[in-house]
């Protein structure tokens, strides 16, 4: 009886040892997506910076590895959450929500917004990057619109609002300054338009400026949302 128990224990130990060895020799499965230069298909073989790094780690561990490409980031991350793969590799951003359900390695790449320019053999100055025709046209258009708005308000208010009671030449800059402050700061309390046309025009100007501001904010948010995860 004692001999049978010893044989049973020895057999169980051999089985556990064999299972552990099989687990250590089993290939690691990592899901990935097509994201050059981190992960991409090249000549029938998966390659890229992240792929090569993962292969080097697997070699250091003495484990074979295979990569399972999927179509989307969501599918790749779900395979890790559901235990269908040992890990995922690509240009994956580390977020607080993702850290609640999975572990990350130390960051291997830091990215941010950058400006890419053609290589012309010389370094471009900041002024040459900013001073473009489009920006110049936008600034001139903005100044022209504010000047026109200010002068229209002078026409409407020059007989009612003391601030605008000045000759045409003397009213050029003050009218422009009034329109600029109306858009930026909401105007001056003591320089409220007195005529109905002037008040309507002033309100429409403030509402239009708020609309343009929120439209630009929404456009920037939509552009950020379109960036890859």
């Amino acid at each position: 009886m004692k001999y049978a128990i010893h044989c049973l224990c020895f057999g169980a130990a051999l089985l556990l040892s064999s299972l552990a060895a099989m687990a250590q020799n089993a290939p690691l499965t990592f899901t990935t997506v097509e994201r050059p230069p981190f992960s991409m298909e090249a000549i029938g073989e998966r390659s890229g910076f992240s792929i090569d790094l993962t292969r080097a780690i697997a070699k250091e561990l003495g484990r074979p590895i295979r990569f399972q490409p999927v179509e989307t980031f969501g599918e790749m991350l779900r395979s890790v959450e559901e235990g269908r793969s040992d890990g995922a590799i690509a240009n994956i951003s580390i977020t607080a929500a993702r850290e609640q359900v999975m572990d990350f390695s130390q960051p291997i790449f830091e990215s941010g917004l950058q400006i890419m320019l053609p290589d012309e053999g010389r370094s471009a100055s900041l002024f040459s990057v900013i001073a473009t025709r489009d920006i110049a046209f936008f600034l001139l258009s903005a100044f022209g619109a504010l000047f026109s708005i200010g002068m229209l308000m002078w026409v409407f208010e020059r007989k009612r609002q003391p601030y605008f009671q000045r000759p045409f030449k003397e009213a050029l800059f003050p009218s422009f300054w009034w329109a600029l402050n109306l858009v930026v700061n909401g105007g001056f309390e003591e320089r409220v338009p007195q005529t109905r046309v002037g008040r309507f025009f002033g309100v429409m100007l403030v509402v239009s400026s708020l609309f343009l501001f929120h439209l630009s904010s929404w456009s920037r948010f939509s552009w950020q949302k379109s960036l890859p995860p």
Side-chain angles (χ1 to χ4, degrees), residues 23-45:
Q24 290 180 355
N25 294 327
L28 296 170
T29 301
F30 272 68
T31 51
T32 185
V33 291
E34 190 73 13
R35 286 295 188 276
F38 300 94
S39 175
M40 53 192 173
E41 189 76 21
I43 318 178
E45 184 180 5

Side-chain angles (χ1 to χ4, degrees), residues 94-164:
I94 301 175
T95 65
R98 291 173 179 174
E99 283 188 311
Q100 292 179 359
V101 294
M102 64 185 70
D103 292 326
F104 286 86
S105 68
Q106 293 296 323
I108 60 172
F109 182 80
E110 183 178 356
S111 63
L113 297 179
Q114 300 178 9
I115 299 176
M116 300 181 67
L117 300 174
D119 185 8
E120 299 178 351
R122 58 183 179 84
S123 59
S125 64
L126 180 62
F127 177 78
S128 63
V129 174
I130 297 177
T132 62
R133 289 184 177 181
D134 292 338
I135 294 179
F137 176 77
F138 172 79
L139 291 177
L140 289 176
S141 299
F143 278 108
L146 290 174
F147 179 80
S148 301
I149 291 169
M151 293 311 299
L152 280 174
M153 191 59 69
W154 172 79
V155 172
F156 298 146
E157 296 291 320
R158 57 181 175 172
K159 296 181 179 179
R160 299 288 300 276
Q161 169 58 253
Y163 178 79
F164 292 101

